[in-house]
Amino acid sequence: MANNLRFQVVEEAFKKRPIEVNVPKERPAEFFGKYVFDRKKMYKYLPKDIYDKMIDVMDNGASLDRSIADAVADGMKQWALEMGVTHYTHWFQPLTEGTAEKHDAFVEHDGKGGMIEKFSGKLLVQQEPDASSFPNGGIRNTFEARGYSAWDPTSPVFIIDDTLCIPTIFIAYTGEALDYKAPLLRALHAVGKAAKDVCQYFYNDVTKVQVNLGWEQEYFLVDEGLYSARPDLLMTGRTLMGHESAKNQQMDDHYFGTIPDRVQAFMKDLEIQALELAIPCKTRHNEVAPNQFELAPIFEECNLAVDHNMLLMSLMKKVARNHGFRVLLHEKPFDGINGSGKHNNWSLSADNGVLLHAPGKIDASNPEATANETLRFVTFIVETLMAVYKHNGLLKASIMSATNAHRLGGNEAPPAIISSFLGTQLTELLDKIEESEATELFTLKGKKGMQIDIPQIPDLIIDNTDRNRTSPFAFTGNRFEFRAPGSSVNCASAMIALNAAMAEALISFKERVDQKIAEFEKNPAYASGTGHTAKFHAIVEVLREDIKACKPIRFDGNGYSEEWVKEAAKRGLDVEKSCPIIFEHYLDATSVKMFESTKVMNRKELEARNEVKWEMYVKTVQIEARVLGDLAMNHIIPVSTHYQSQLIKNVQGMKAVFSADKAERLSSRNMKLIEEIAERTEKIEQLVEELTEARRIANQIANIHQRAIQYHDTVCPKMEDIRLEIDKLEMIVEDGLWTLPKYRELLFIR
């Protein structure tokens, strides 16, 4: 058996032991936010009047007065220098799904032949990256390079190594957004205002509504040596070939299992560094697939949560390498086992302490107050369903990508059809409101106890909904869990679409309720002050209309079933599976109207983003196709034919030693293998030629939209055909000759 590189890296991986982690002596609460210019540090380093103005900007959305920028910059610089910082950067989120930064030193000429450390308000507030060098969908040309990054004071400045990182938006010289943060901030402003206005129906003390986001980051860890020995992992983030291991996840023994020592050391190191950056890590555990894990934080304000997730993904890659791992954030790095998602737990909360998607308190002594709470709860649930129903295709487009397409619909993740699970109790309540008279009061049962017949075990408190893991947009008791976003993407993409759609739904709801209130108040029955108010009747009547309208989006069954695909199509839901076609929803008339009416994005920005999405899709598949062709011709076929040559020599030797009849009988198995290898290698060579030709034809299409469709329809199927042949060869060729680490090695090394 050949002693090839694969065996060497596997042996080295088995020898590795956990790296000792430098654990701070302080408790986590004491070093939390150590490298963040948070409110406590602002209070220390800023003049009191400047601090008060900054708090007004952060809490109340007041306009940032550039006259205070110099004072803020001075305070930041003082803190940064004390922390050993030498550089600063505007940290932004272009349309690459990653982050970008350009580092500048705190140095200027002093006019006397020397240097001084300087950081002005102008440098804090604004910089000028090259807008033509990032994906922009044609908004900027090479000869029109100017773009601006502008400070986002609502997201705290932080330190990475020796650099002060300033979260910013990124816009073109002509004003269009070239990033995720700018439209996200607009969407959050739109939904916050719309939700606050609707809250006035139920509370007099609400002045602000905040969007909350809690993401759950799934990921794989692979030993760095094995990763480096797989060119497909190195170049594309996923294995383009590989026969499934005899044992993968079918025993369900990895999920919530004991965390391996090396992984535990990595997690500990990651959490310490994340906490120092004020990322509130809460949960860690083994996921379903081998070598798959999850990290989840405490809920945060949406904009900050998005920034923290982008920062964490970058931090994960750095920490993993220090521990001899590589992090795989690709949605489907291994065929045949679960891929990775990034569940977005989303909710709205008012500044009076009410979580708007949570049922209110049940007060038996005050049925009208209880009904008001229930009516508020139902209002925000139903209008969320209206937003999701009206824009289900757009929401699917917001989470779709060339990489996430491999995961969705694979009976392991939500299907590529957006629907919402509510649970029995909430479904019954909505049905009751739809069918009842407006004079009735509505209540939702609270949590109940479940008695277990084991004396030592306390009663369990049962939630008012179960969970449906096949639902892409499930209600989970006090929030909705958008389970379709992929593990590698920027959460902002889904949050922009969802919050803008929610803003539109709430604005429409309020307009219709106000109109009905005006109509009802003309009725003497309501004007007399007896019975329910005109407002109550108006809200219930509009809710009844919307409950009926959005009913097609409600589905509590098995999202994996073929019957649901047919049923969803009958309901008018989007069932398209082609990624390039799904992207078209950004330019639907309803989508453009929604984005423009909420002032989140204009048509030009939407068209540009679609250009970027189609281009990124093409490039992703193009790279994968080129890597697969190279591996097939330069790794798989040479190894397979080499083994074939050994078999041929064996057959020839048998003929020289044994009689013709005995040699034929003894070599029959090898002859079959020789023939199968010949047929499969010939098929691979033919398919690689067809793959190359399919790419050539697609690349000649000038329109990027049509080119993306062509790649999806002609290039991707050829890649699947090639993979099938290679995976069959992997099971034939002698193990010692196979050069690429196999799934059993990639997935079970600790």
Side-chain angles (χ1 to χ4, degrees), residues 17-43:
R17 294 292 178 264
I19 295 174
E20 187 174 347
V21 178
N22 184 22
V23 180
K25 295 179 180 179
E26 308 94 332
R27 300 295 301 165
E30 295 175 304
F31 64 78
F32 181 78
K34 176 180 179 181
Y35 295 112
V36 177
F37 194 65
D38 54 22
R39 296 181 185 225
K40 184 177 180 180
K41 298 183 184 74
M42 287 171 59
Y43 188 81

Side-chain angles (χ1 to χ4, degrees), residues 321-333:
R321 296 197 68 174
N322 292 338
H323 288 259
F325 288 119
R326 286 297 185 112
V327 166
L328 302 182
L329 293 175
H330 193 289
E331 283 74 14
K332 190 72 171 177

Side-chain angles (χ1 to χ4, degrees), residues 414-415 417-420 468 470-474 481-485:
I417 303 170
I418 301 298
S419 65
S420 186
N468 186 327
T470 73
S471 176
F473 197 84
E481 183 181 18
F482 195 8
R483 303 186 68 244

